[in-house]
Amino acid sequence: MNTKSNHDSCQPRLVWIVLILLLALTAWTSRYWLNGEFGLYEDDLTFLPEAIEADFGEVMEMVSGYFSTLDEQGRPLMWSWVVLFGHLGWQLGGLQGMYVLGFIIWLINILMFVFLLWRIHRQFLFIIIGGFAYVLFAADTNQAFLFNAFGLQTALFLLLIALHLYLIKNHWRWLAYVFLTLVLFNYETPFWLFLAAPLLAEDRGKSLTRRLVVNTLIVAAIFLAVYLLRLSVGESRVAGMSLADMVITPLKHMLIGPLVGLGAYGLRPFQVLRSPSFRLIFTALLSSGIFLLIFIGVTRRMKTLASKLFSFKKGWWNRLDERTQRELSLLIAGMIMLVFAYPLTVILRPYAISGRETRVHMAAVVGAALIVASAMSLLIRASKKKAIRTAILVLFSLVLGFNFAFGFLIQQDYQSAWDLQQGFWRELLPLIQDVTVGTAVLIEPTGLEDVLYINANTWNLPKLLPKMFFFPEEWSPPPRVFRLIEGWQTNIIRIPGYFTLDGSNSFANMVVFGDFNQKNSILITTGNGVLERQFQTTVMGESIQLKPLGQDVLETLDTRPLYKLLMGEY
């Protein structure tokens, strides 16, 4: 079959340049428009401060350390990309340089996907629909989250390279499996999408069957080899997997995840409509109008439009034109990719629709965009009446327009979260100037504000003070800040004279759990959004004396770059 001869595939170079610029502008505006007011969040705050203050030689030592062991979740490439791109972005232009670099990585993936569409089906309507569907995929809300931009988008990049190589009809095809293997050492969730790679080629019959069998065997062998390697080095997530983790949970995620991932295209418009912002609604309608003009212009240039997709009679498949058969095959390939984006998401919730956990849908973007491109192209060409075709274009343009506007809800939360973090530390530090070795600063949470699409002042708080100040080497453990959770009073005292802090009473990682002397602990209340230090408290009827006010210490210490970022000095 040859779909390349159709006039629709022969677009002038200027048209391609305009398409690339439109996709880049859409991506930048929907996720990065407010990046000048973004900051560092969650995992960013854990890994990027060291990358910021290190020189290039020290960054390469970090990278070498990640590759010396697979114990860190078996993802040496992911950690390496994060510190390497974090360092380079900071050198390019500080915090905004990091965001520009994160955008460039995402844009490269967008273009890689668009050129993949061109490689598998050279029909401009199909390509432009798929490109916008990829950019505006909103089940995953983390495109501008630096840790994900550096560490997770690179896994998609490796997958897309592998798919391109596989479709080359020469000996380079086998190199695809090298890049596919690298996906497992980066971030593994896109790995199983490669099962559908033979369906992207134009083979049929026995040739396609042979390709599917060979590809499945090779992919399974690669996965088993890497799994055994991780198991042999005691990688924590592999060694701790139960039967449910390996079989039942992946199957459940493969059922639920695709519905959420694809359904997000329909969910996000309702979330925009619930917003009280007239500006947001106006943005949605204006962008919908622009999308509609683009699609009307493309469909009018198409020479062949009619399709007998809905003529269900005997010999239905054979009566379909080659283009329709091809798009139906790609629709099936997209469905397989969408389903197989989820079996390796076992530690996440497949129904997550907000925040960092929506990375569960990260790999689903390829299958979802391919489904949308195939389904919309089929529907538009199968519509015999111009009124029906126009109605389809209007509805689809509205969906894209409102998904575009939804991006500003995400950006506003990123903006608010950074303001909340900066305000928190500016208010907190004057109250805890007298911290010392082993001090636990307990934050009572009732007055703290949270946002929906990224966390602020939560699980990574205990790690931040040592990243803001150069503490004396003998300060082990260093002072830490813990955000308590509702009901913390019920089990925080298990040893007389100590506070026991763990995941049942605080937002914290297990590496900072422990027992902290009450007389060296500080309690900060947050009622009405105002931070106040308490010198005694009552827990379960017991009156407890806390750390008395001591000599100022923090103001005598040298500060690190994270301090300046949180204080707004950069």
Side-chain angles (χ1 to χ4, degrees):
M1 176 178 17
N2 182 9
T3 61
K4 300 176 185 179
S5 60
N6 191 296
H7 182 271
D8 184 40
S9 65
C10 302
Q11 296 295 328
R13 184 177 301 176
L14 178 61
V15 174
W16 283 100
I17 293 173
V18 171
L19 174 59
I20 291 170
L21 290 176
L22 282 173
L23 291 172
L25 181 62
T26 303
W28 176 266
T29 309
S30 66
R31 291 296 187 273
Y32 283 85
W33 185 256
L34 301 178
N35 81 89
E37 299 173 67
F38 292 174
L40 301 178
Y41 316 92
E42 305 198 49
D43 297 284
D44 296 346
L45 291 163
T46 302
F47 293 96
L48 292 180
E50 284 81 0
I52 287 172
E53 61 187 54
D55 59 35
F56 188 74
E58 291 169 331
V59 169
M60 296 313 296
E61 287 181 13
M62 296 181 200
V63 171
S64 176
Y66 294 137
F67 278 92
S68 66
T69 175
L70 295 179
D71 191 48
E72 285 290 338
Q73 301 177 11
R75 299 167 176 169
L77 276 173
M78 182 181 75
W79 309 115
S80 299
W81 295 131
V82 168
V83 297
L84 180 60
F85 287 134
H87 174 78
L88 293 176
W90 183 262
Q91 295 300 316
L92 285 172
L95 199 53
Q96 270 55 66
M98 296 165 79
Y99 276 100
V100 169
L101 187 55
F103 171 74
I104 290 172
I105 294 169
W106 185 35
L107 180 60
I108 289 173
N109 281 353
I110 293 168
L111 299 182
M112 290 281 288
F113 180 73
V114 168
F115 292 132
L116 180 67
L117 296 180
W118 173 82
R119 186 183 292 278
I120 63 178
H121 191 49
R122 298 187 182 183
Q123 304 298 330
F124 197 65
L125 177 66
F126 172 84
I127 293 168
I128 195 171
I129 290 174
F132 282 118
Y134 188 100
V135 170
L136 297 174
F137 178 73
D140 177 14
T141 62
N142 295 302
Q143 289 85 357
F145 179 30
L146 289 176
F147 183 89
N148 284 29
F150 297 154
L152 276 63
Q153 287 291 327
T154 42
L156 276 177
F157 174 72
L158 293 171
L159 173 73
L160 290 168
I161 288 181
L163 290 172
H164 277 280
L165 288 170
Y166 184 84
L167 295 172
I168 296 176
K169 296 182 178 180
N170 57 35
H171 61 280
W172 288 104
R173 170 178 293 171
W174 296 102
L175 191 59
Y177 294 103
V178 175
F179 283 90
L180 182 65
T181 303
L182 294 178
V183 172
L184 289 174
F185 293 100
N186 195 133
Y187 191 77
E188 61 275 2
T189 60
F191 176 81
W192 287 112
L193 273 67
F194 203 78
L195 288 176
L199 296 174
L200 301 182
E202 296 184 348
D203 292 22
R204 286 181 170 185
K206 292 182 179 180
S207 175
L208 176 59
T209 302
R210 184 172 58 252
R211 272 206 187 193
L212 284 169
V213 172
V214 171
N215 181 66
T216 301
L217 291 174
I218 295 174
V219 170
I222 291 172
F223 180 80
L224 181 61
V226 174
Y227 172 81
L228 292 175
L229 176 62
R230 286 189 178 189
L231 196 63
S232 68
V233 299
E235 195 271 295
S236 57
R237 297 198 181 194
V238 169
M241 289 179 71
S242 64
L243 177 63
D245 293 330
M246 291 187 288
V247 179
I248 299 173
T249 301
L251 289 175
K252 183 174 68 174
H253 285 204
M254 291 167 73
L255 290 172
I256 299 172
L259 298 177
V260 179
L262 197 58
Y265 284 115
L267 171 66
R268 301 313 188 187
F270 289 101
Q271 292 179 289
V272 172
L273 288 170
R274 288 188 305 182
S275 168
S277 171
F278 170 79
R279 182 180 298 179
L280 197 63
I281 302 297
F282 176 77
T283 299
L285 294 175
L286 177 62
S287 55
S288 296
I290 294 172
F291 286 127
L292 180 60
L293 290 175
I294 293 171
F295 293 134
I296 288 177
V298 172
T299 54
R300 283 181 176 175
R301 288 172 57 89
M302 291 170 54
K303 278 198 167 184
T304 58
L305 195 61
S307 167
K308 297 180 180 179
L309 179 65
F310 298 118
S311 299
F312 298 110
K313 297 178 182 179
K314 187 177 180 180
W316 170 75
W317 177 263
N318 292 327
R319 295 175 55 185
L320 295 176
D321 61 276
E322 289 187 351
R323 178 171 175 179
T324 300
Q325 290 181 355
R326 180 62 173 155
E327 288 171 357
L328 285 169
S329 299
L330 293 175
L331 178 63
I332 294 171
M335 290 177 178
I336 293 172
M337 286 183 159
L338 182 62
V339 170
F340 279 93
Y342 291 94
L344 297 180
T345 61
V346 291
I347 66 167
L348 300 169
R349 298 174 300 124
Y351 45 82
I353 58 171
S354 61
R356 190 173 64 114
E357 270 203 50
T358 59
R359 69 187 185 279
V360 69
H361 306 296
M362 187 269 295
V365 62
V366 178
L370 187 55
I371 289 172
V372 171
S374 303
M376 289 303 304
S377 183
L378 285 165
L379 285 174
I380 291 169
R381 293 194 309 106
S383 303
K384 297 180 180 180
K385 294 182 178 181
K386 183 178 179 181
I388 295 176
R389 188 163 62 248
T390 302
I392 292 172
L393 291 175
V394 169
L395 180 60
F396 183 57
S397 298
L398 284 169
V399 169
L400 290 184
F402 276 83
N403 274 272
F404 173 81
F406 171 76
F408 287 94
L409 291 178
I410 301 172
Q411 293 185 66
Q412 288 166 8
D413 273 7
Y414 274 56
Q415 177 187 18
S416 297
W418 186 235
D419 289 342
L420 290 170
Q421 290 179 123
Q422 288 184 315
F424 172 82
W425 284 103
R426 287 170 183 160
E427 195 171 348
L428 176 66
L429 289 181
L431 301 176
I432 60 169
Q433 284 288 320
D434 57 325
V435 294
T436 185
V437 57
T439 298
V441 180
L442 312 181
I443 309 297
E444 181 276 321
T446 56
L448 294 181
E449 183 181 347
D450 295 305
V451 295
L452 187 60
Y453 294 107
I454 196 72
N455 281 333
N457 303 317
T458 54
W459 62 270
N460 57 355
L461 277 183
K463 300 180 179 181
L464 297 193
L465 268 181
K467 297 178 184 295
M468 297 170 67
F469 296 93
F470 287 101
F471 289 125
E473 291 184 6
E474 61 271 18
W475 280 30
S476 181
R480 299 191 184 276
V481 178
F482 294 85
R483 175 173 171 169
L484 302 174
I485 64 177
E486 186 178 352
W488 60 272
Q489 300 93 334
T490 59
N491 66 349
I492 198 169
I493 300 177
R494 304 172 203 173
I495 302 173
Y498 288 84
F499 291 130
T500 297
L501 293 169
D502 58 25
S504 69
N505 50 37
S506 66
F507 287 100
N509 188 286
M510 63 184 302
V511 298
V512 296
F513 292 169
D515 301 309
F516 298 85
N517 192 320
Q518 292 171 355
K519 289 184 169 51
N520 192 28
S521 298
I522 297 172
L523 176 65
I524 303 293
T525 56
T526 62
N528 298 319
V530 178
L531 275 58
E532 294 184 13
R533 178 170 175 173
Q534 308 299 320
F535 294 96
Q536 71 174 50
T537 189
T538 301
V539 177
M540 302 298 288
E542 178 183 352
S543 180
I544 297 172
Q545 297 298 315
L546 302 170
K547 185 181 186 304
L549 191 63
Q551 185 177 359
D552 288 354
V553 174
L554 291 182
E555 65 179 15
T556 68
L557 301 175
D558 291 331
T559 58
R560 306 177 74 169
L562 181 58
Y563 171 88
K564 295 179 180 179
L565 280 170
L566 288 168
M567 294 299 108
E569 296 179 10
Y570 275 128

